[in-house]
Amino acid sequence: MPDPATVLVRIEDSDGAFGWGEVWGDSPCLGAEYRACLLDTVLADRLLGCDSNASPSVFWADADRALHIQCLRTGEPGAFAAALAGLDIAMNDLAARRADVPLWKYLGGNDGSPVRVYASGIHAGSCSLELVRDARRKGFRAFKIKIGCGDGQDVATLERVAEKLATDEWLMADADQAWDITSACRIAGLLSELPLSWIEEALAADRPSWEWAQVKAASDAPLAAGENLRGVLTFQKLIADGYLSVFQPNMCKWGGFSGTLAVGRAIIAADRAFCPHHSAGGVGLIASLHLLATVRGPGLVKVDINPNPLREELLSDVLCIRDGSAELPAAPGLGFTPNLAAFREFGTQHTESKT
């Protein structure tokens, strides 16, 4: 993914209050433009004329139901879900700014302390130890290694990293849906001696429950998944099935705050870990921090440490990580306003809807 895309949405009401959101559009980049078009041509008309004091969650639920048939007709529920998710984040940001409170507090949270995070984007291979050391210098205390490159390289990399872990540090492995059931069970056995906090996406997200149950039986490490799934009913079934210990919905792909907050609370009630997944732009990352701060529990938020100058410029200096946790911005709403000058600086497309 040499050019991760960032799709931001800004809404403003007649009183001048505004909010920011992010739509998932990582790959392919053309998909980012398509989701932006859906937001502009389909969803914007639904929002125009609405009362900005109305509940964002009611709007999200109504729009989700209204778009259901169109999603079936087009066969593209993911694109519609991502566009609506970004809009929902912006609506909640606007509401919290109007209320003059941080988003986590507006959403019902009672703890504004720093949120635990982990470093992602570290691939198995010769540079893994160097990347982990660099992440440690930046304040991380948990590290996720991308595996699925081959049994020998995967195991050797994880062993080298595990040997250098401090007692308060975590190590996770992410297969990125690379294995079938046979491979997943075999490699889970090979990794059984390692201190893994979880193995992520050991199977494709749409594999049946009986396959996941077999991997769980073969693995000493907890299983994690959820970034490529959507829908309250889907996550309710996963909780009931019992093979996942770590749930990772991506709020910019599906649900925004309105969908994922309910899912997160159900996960915590079931005594599982809620670990919001995020990649790409800075708005979604800060929103994910507010999401976990609202729900809390033993979870962590993913932070991609791959070079992404646009994301860093959009965030400016708002992301501060110390001792494995990120501080929450204290200002109302998300707590910051994206630096739009970054779009011009990097020569990226910056368009505004006529609506």
Side-chain angles (χ1 to χ4, degrees):
M1 197 161 47
D3 298 304
T6 296
V7 183
L8 302 184
V9 52
R10 181 184 187 275
I11 61 173
E12 182 175 335
D13 69 10
S14 57
D15 295 327
F18 64 90
W20 285 92
E22 180 175 340
V23 178
W24 184 88
D26 274 1
S27 61
C29 284
L30 181 61
E33 294 184 46
Y34 175 55
R35 287 164 173 78
C37 287
L38 284 179
L39 182 63
D40 187 26
T41 60
V42 178
L43 289 171
D45 284 343
R46 288 189 166 274
L47 186 62
L48 289 174
C50 290
D51 182 359
S52 61
N53 290 306
S55 167
S57 62
V58 172
F59 177 87
W60 177 83
D62 288 345
D64 187 54
R65 283 192 296 268
L67 292 169
H68 179 65
I69 300 302
Q70 196 165 358
C71 290
L72 294 177
R73 185 184 303 121
T74 60
E76 295 177 336
F80 282 93
L84 181 56
L87 184 57
D88 179 84
I89 294 169
M91 293 178 69
N92 278 279
D93 182 34
L94 184 152
R97 290 177 193 261
R98 284 176 62 107
D100 198 31
V101 294
L103 248 172
W104 62 266
K105 190 169 186 177
Y106 170 77
L107 294 168
N110 55 21
D111 182 359
S113 62
V115 173
R116 297 171 67 210
V117 295
Y118 67 89
S120 184
I122 304 170
H123 290 262
S126 58
C127 296
S128 297
L129 274 177
E130 180 181 345
L131 291 172
V132 169
R133 285 194 293 267
D134 185 53
R136 186 179 287 120
R137 286 193 294 269
K138 293 176 180 177
F140 291 94
R141 297 295 178 265
F143 317 96
K144 188 173 74 178
I145 310 297
K146 296 274 190 179
I147 59 175
C149 307
D151 297 7
Q153 179 171 303
D154 291 344
V155 174
T157 298
L158 290 169
E159 287 178 341
R160 287 196 299 269
V161 174
E163 287 175 0
K164 303 295 184 180
L165 286 179
T167 54
D168 63 339
E169 292 181 338
W170 287 26
L171 176 63
M172 298 83 84
D174 182 1
D176 255 343
Q177 307 183 87
W179 302 327
D180 59 18
I181 178 64
T182 302
S183 299
C185 289
R186 183 187 73 252
I187 300 173
L190 294 175
L191 301 178
S192 61
E193 300 301 318
L194 294 170
L196 295 178
S197 295
W198 71 67
I199 298 175
E200 184 173 327
E201 290 200 315
L203 296 171
D206 61 351
R207 298 310 301 163
S209 297
W210 65 266
E211 288 192 6
W212 283 96
Q214 286 195 37
V215 179
K216 176 177 172 61
S219 176
D220 286 345
L223 299 183
E227 66 180 275
N228 292 306
L229 298 169
R230 61 184 178 274
V232 172
L233 294 178
T234 297
F235 283 101
Q236 285 178 340
K237 183 179 184 304
L238 289 178
I239 294 171
D241 284 342
Y243 50 75
L244 290 184
S245 300
V246 180
F247 291 76
Q248 304 168 300
N250 186 323
M251 68 184 303
C252 296
K253 272 190 176 183
W254 168 81
F257 285 105
S258 295
T260 52
L261 267 176
V263 166
R265 287 170 174 143
I267 291 165
I268 297 302
D271 199 26
R272 317 287 175 80
F274 177 54
C275 296
H277 188 279
H278 176 69
S279 54
V283 169
L285 174 56
I286 301 302
S288 297
L289 296 177
H290 282 281
L291 175 63
L292 184 56
T294 305
V295 175
R296 290 294 170 176
L300 307 86
V301 172
K302 170 188 170 179
V303 179
D304 182 13
I305 63 169
N306 282 302
N308 190 328
L310 176 58
R311 178 188 61 211
E312 304 311 318
E313 290 297 324
L314 285 171
L315 278 173
S316 298
D317 298 323
V318 72
L319 183 64
C320 181
I321 298 173
R322 293 191 182 92
D323 296 324
S325 296
E327 296 181 10
L328 292 164
L334 285 169
F336 84 112
T337 299
N339 172 27
L340 291 189
F343 281 100
R344 294 185 288 273
E345 179 180 348
F346 291 98
T348 52
Q349 181 180 0
H350 176 203
T351 60
E352 294 187 6
S353 166
K354 293 179 181 179
T355 56

